[in-house]
Amino acid sequence: MFALTHASRDRKTLLEAIARVDCAVWYLAGKALRKSRRCIHICGD
């Protein structure tokens, strides 16, 4: 049982880290293009 809980916690941590990196990339792209992250993500410009 501990092994399943431990693996689940690791997966949650990994997914949170991936989400944070994704947000940071969109933020930096927006800063570089001087547009909001929302506009870049939705419009593709």
Side-chain angles (χ1 to χ4, degrees), residues 6-44:
H6 185 67
S8 177
R9 185 175 27 178
D10 287 346
R11 180 181 167 94
K12 181 178 184 276
T13 302
L14 175 63
L15 291 176
E16 286 179 359
I18 291 170
R20 290 174 189 253
V21 169
D22 182 58
C23 285
V25 168
W26 283 111
Y27 175 78
L28 292 173
K31 285 289 221 180
L33 298 173
R34 296 181 183 195
K35 294 191 176 189
S36 71
R37 182 180 60 188
R38 178 178 166 84
C39 182
I40 292 171
H41 191 70
I42 292 172
C43 305

